[in-house]
Amino acid sequence: MPTLCENCASPLEGGFCSQCGQSDTDYNIPVTQFAKEFASEAFSLDSRLRLTMKPLFFKPGAVPRDYVAGHRARFVPPIRLFLFASFAMFVSLTLGSGMSVDNVTFDGVDVAAVAPDSVSPPPDSNPGGEDADPGETSFERTMQDRFVQGMQRVAEDRRVFASDFFDRFAQAMFFLLPVFAALLKLVHFRRLYVQHLVFSVYVHSFVFLVVALVALPDALHLGGLSQWLSIALLGIPLYLLLAMKRFYEDRWLKTLVKFVFVWVTYSFTLAMTGLAVLVVSLLDM
């Protein structure tokens, strides 16, 4: 006897109702099993994750090289892995953030000593002076007040600021992926841009996962372990160098020269992006 749909009692065909299209998926299962199935569907946390992580960590450049060569079935797709790695890093950094703003000063003002909602504009050093630029003075005063207020709110609840900062930074990183790929295109112009983009996504995913692992002990209140794991961050430039060598298959000297250009240029871009996100986050507090 064919299985009937629970919604309209029509026979099921291929796991779906022939009339209303409802799936025969059974959701009367324990929450742990449901969470596992949801994670598997959302991030493909199955055998492909294991097959992806091992070469991603221990064979730099192998995953993107094989992926663009057409061997894709055994790997987690790049964007899905990037989203998973971004989420892992965001959670670890937010939970483990231990920012301290003690003794922070801004233009001589002790931010930690400023009472909430008591920030007042500094006195005009030259009231009514003919040489003063009212527009510039007002802008500088307004920006200073907003910075002081922002820093005070950080002092009150640094986790809110950390969450806001990391959220904005994660969004900014998504837009930096094509920038990194463009830098690679400049030094490997014969390759298609999409290949550089795939390489960029997998490399960034690796970096995000390393940062997540380094920040995880702080989230679990194991700060001493985090200091030891932070050594892994020093290996990121070496990882990129080895990944470029395996993926692009250039000679070592050419790989090294191209790596230096890409690393220095992208590091500067990343630093400026981080500074911009920090300023915006402070002003928005």
Side-chain angles (χ1 to χ4, degrees), residues 90-158:
F90 172 78
V91 171
S92 295
L93 288 175
T94 302
L95 294 179
S97 61
M99 299 181 185
S100 175
V101 292
D102 295 338
N103 301 321
V104 174
T105 61
F106 182 81
D107 272 10
V109 178
D110 187 349
V111 175
V114 179
D117 302 324
S118 64
V119 179
S120 58
D124 193 344
S125 58
N126 186 23
E130 296 181 357
D131 296 334
D133 186 339
E136 182 179 359
T137 303
S138 176
F139 174 78
E140 292 177 351
R141 187 163 52 235
T142 301
M143 294 300 293
Q144 175 174 318
D145 292 345
R146 292 186 64 180
F147 267 111
V148 172
Q149 292 173 359
M151 292 297 292
Q152 171 56 27
R153 293 190 178 98
V154 173
E156 295 169 6
D157 193 346
R158 61 175 177 264

Side-chain angles (χ1 to χ4, degrees), residues 5-281:
C5 174
E6 296 180 356
N7 185 41
C8 63
S10 299
L12 295 174
E13 297 179 2
F16 294 90
C17 177
S18 58
Q19 296 298 321
C20 67
Q22 177 170 302
S23 171
D24 65 345
T25 303
D26 182 15
Y27 290 102
N28 297 315
I29 55 178
V31 65
T32 54
Q33 183 178 347
F34 175 79
K36 182 178 179 181
E37 292 181 1
F38 175 80
S40 178
E41 290 294 330
F43 301 116
S44 288
L45 297 180
D46 48 20
S47 60
R48 288 191 297 174
L49 184 62
R50 176 179 55 83
L51 294 174
T52 302
M53 289 299 159
K54 186 175 180 180
L56 182 69
F57 274 81
F58 301 106
K59 292 184 177 181
V63 175
R65 180 198 60 189
D66 293 347
Y67 190 88
V68 299
H71 308 293
R72 303 172 184 173
R74 66 178 184 268
F75 296 129
V76 178
I79 294 299
R80 183 168 295 178
L81 181 63
F82 178 82
L83 293 176
F84 169 72
S86 301
F87 177 77
M89 182 182 68
F90 172 78
V91 171
S92 295
L93 288 175
T94 302
L95 294 179
S97 61
M99 299 181 185
S100 175
V101 292
D102 295 338
N103 301 321
V104 174
T105 61
F106 182 81
D107 272 10
V109 178
D110 187 349
V111 175
V114 179
D117 302 324
S118 64
V119 179
S120 58
D124 193 344
S125 58
N126 186 23
E130 296 181 357
D131 296 334
D133 186 339
E136 182 179 359
T137 303
S138 176
F139 174 78
E140 292 177 351
R141 187 163 52 235
T142 301
M143 294 300 293
Q144 175 174 318
D145 292 345
R146 292 186 64 180
F147 267 111
V148 172
Q149 292 173 359
M151 292 297 292
Q152 171 56 27
R153 293 190 178 98
V154 173
E156 295 169 6
D157 193 346
R158 61 175 177 264
R159 289 190 178 275
V160 172
F161 171 76
S163 177
D164 183 63
F165 173 79
F166 293 134
D167 186 31
R168 281 192 170 99
F169 192 74
Q171 296 176 27
M173 288 303 304
F174 186 82
F175 290 102
L176 285 179
L177 289 175
V179 174
F180 186 74
L183 292 176
L184 293 169
K185 177 68 174 177
L186 288 176
V187 294
H188 301 96
F189 56 88
R190 288 189 176 87
R191 291 248 189 172
L192 296 175
Y193 177 78
V194 68
Q195 297 182 1
H196 305 301
L197 193 57
V198 169
F199 179 83
S200 174
V201 173
Y202 276 118
V203 168
H204 280 80
S205 298
F206 165 79
V207 173
F208 289 178
L209 290 172
V210 170
V211 174
L213 291 174
V214 171
L216 185 60
D218 281 336
L220 301 177
H221 305 289
L222 301 172
L225 181 59
S226 180
Q227 295 178 359
W228 285 101
L229 289 178
S230 61
I231 299 176
L233 298 176
L234 301 177
I236 290 177
L238 177 61
Y239 180 92
L240 177 58
L241 175 63
L242 296 176
M244 290 179 63
K245 179 67 175 69
R246 178 175 277 118
F247 184 80
Y248 294 106
E249 299 179 336
D250 284 332
R251 294 185 177 182
W252 272 110
L253 182 58
K254 292 182 65 175
T255 301
L256 184 60
V257 172
K258 294 176 180 179
F259 159 78
V260 171
F261 168 78
V262 172
W263 178 259
V264 172
T265 307
Y266 188 67
S267 295
F268 177 79
T269 304
L270 190 61
M272 292 298 100
T273 301
L275 180 61
V277 171
L278 178 62
V279 171
V280 171
S281 300

